[in-house]
Amino acid sequence: MAMHSAVSYPLGRPACKKDAKALQFIEEMTRNVDSVQEKVLAEILSGNANTEYLQRFKLGGATDRDTFKSKVPVITYEEIQPDIQRIANGDRSPIFSSHPISEFLTSSGTSAGERKLMPTIQEELDRKQLLYSLLMPVMNLSRQRQGLVFSIYKSRNQDTLTSYYKSDHFKTRPYDPYNVYTSPNEAVLCVDSFQSMYSQMLCGLLMRKEVLRVGAVFASGLLRAIHFLQLNWQQLAKDIASGILNPRVSDPSIRECMSRILKPNRELADFIIKECEGQNWEGIITRIWPNTKYLDVIVTGAMAQYIRTLDYYSGGLPKACTMYASSECYFGLNLKPMCKPSEVCYTIMPNMCYYEFIPHDSANHGTISRDSPPRLVDLADVEVGKEYELVITTYAGLCRYRVGDILQVTGFHNSAPQFKFIRRKNVLLSIDSDKTDEAELQNAVENAASILRPYDTSVVEYTSYADTKTIPGHYVIYCELHIKDPTNAPSKEVLNQCCLAMEESLNSVYRQCRVADNSIGPLEIRVVIDGTFEELMDYAISRGASINQYKAPRCVNFTPIVELLDSRVVSVHFSPDAPHWTPERQRLEV
Ligand code: AMP
């Protein structure tokens, strides 16, 4: 009997030998979740036994779950921020990891208005690489023809993806005919967002007929690329017609590689002009890249708000959500990447880190009492239908760290649970990688309110809405004002200044998206007529809310409520300027 007949492939028949190996690995990992997890924890705890952090909890060399869970506390970023700052300030002693810190990654989450810093170690790149290497074998199961990818990347100092693209793992990756990018590395890695986007778009247009897949990491990134095309198609067409690169792209390495790619092509230039000059951009993706089979973008979590717009521009192409990852660690992959967005679930790979789960029901909201902390649930023990907050212990030295994501178990692949991404904890508004929570919004409203005080005007109530109908999307704040003396009412200019004051008080990721990336538009205040928020309450009560517990929602997205608010608007105001933003200090070099 031939050996291979004994091998079964529960996920489907692999497309080639290399894929078979990857699928086999997924099978092995997902069949042995609990033992892999036990081993991962033991490896982490023994590897980092002598670190300052673990020494604090006196594990005495123990590497078992019970000792670990009883002695090491569950923490948030804020609790380890002082230690992380020490590393950032140059302390090279083994604080979290016994391995040297290879670099700092920055998360899009913020702490006190600054991006969170995540120290990482070299070997984490191997683990990321391993997870990446599983994506195409899984995708190939759907028998989609693979080839050239037009995928727009945004290089950000120190973000997890940029770190991967800068690494030798990526640069020296073996040639894979099923996964070739239109964007040259030079364009991907250029930190000037205009030059990077411009040259990536140009390459995408030049190779338009060969492109089989169009993507970006998140849906917001792909829409930003479409918007970029809307703003720049004339110049792009001019470059293509003449074969001469726009002088605004001055980066020598990009110019050098584009000189090899860009040749005069009148026919292509005319085609682009014809497609872009009209008002109708419906289906533009499939018109320009006619062989696109699917979009490679994440549309789960906060990105779900972009599905309709993506459908509009792509004529409803399938959207593949392949991976669930963060700066802290990469977690898992979608074993059915071609499924509908509403059915996406991620299978957590037990080899990436040690996972625990805080049960998150509406009663406890994931709060942890210091006196009687709940026993956190292990990966193998989570239950279908329940929601949990993710807690991780990583090889890089994060111990029982709350990631802030709420996940729901939808089922299992072998013994590995599969999770639907429900939401990020405490995030009220998000357009791109920005995450604004209730406290930040409250603070922003208070700052705006202080501008209104000299006009005897106060903010009676407010709520917010992430308006993504236009590109880029923007924050809308609905405010009901109490104006004591109508003869001294705040002018339009004053209210515009309130918009800017709010933006100035939002976190640095918001301001970076707004100023450097242009991925968020000016903040808008919509003043609503007196009594609107009472109407809102009546509406909520008519739908079953308890009058005693009713609180005005600080963010709305339910269409009837947004429509009600919009029908009561008396004036609209936009931020007249960009808020301040300066790139973070170069404190991150290690
Ligand atoms: P960052 O730390 O900036 O890399 O962002 C990581 C966060 O992005 C995660 O903790 C999630 O909240 C979110 N995220 C990552 N992957 C996905 C996904 N596939 N679906 C929804 N949200 C995601």
Side-chain angles (χ1 to χ4, degrees), residues 521-533:
L523 182 142
E524 179 183 0
I525 289 180
R526 294 184 190 162
V527 178
V528 292
I529 200 163
D530 283 0
T532 303
F533 278 82

Side-chain angles (χ1 to χ4, degrees), residues 106-109 160 218 298 300-302 321 323-328 331 346 403 405 421 424 433 435:
T106 58
S107 138
S108 58
T160 174
F218 289 111
I298 290 177
T300 42
C321 294
M323 186 161 79
Y324 169 43
S326 77
S327 322
E328 291 90 342
F331 306 124
Y346 299 100
V403 176
D405 290 345
F421 183 92
R424 183 132 187 127
S433 53
K435 299 177 174 73

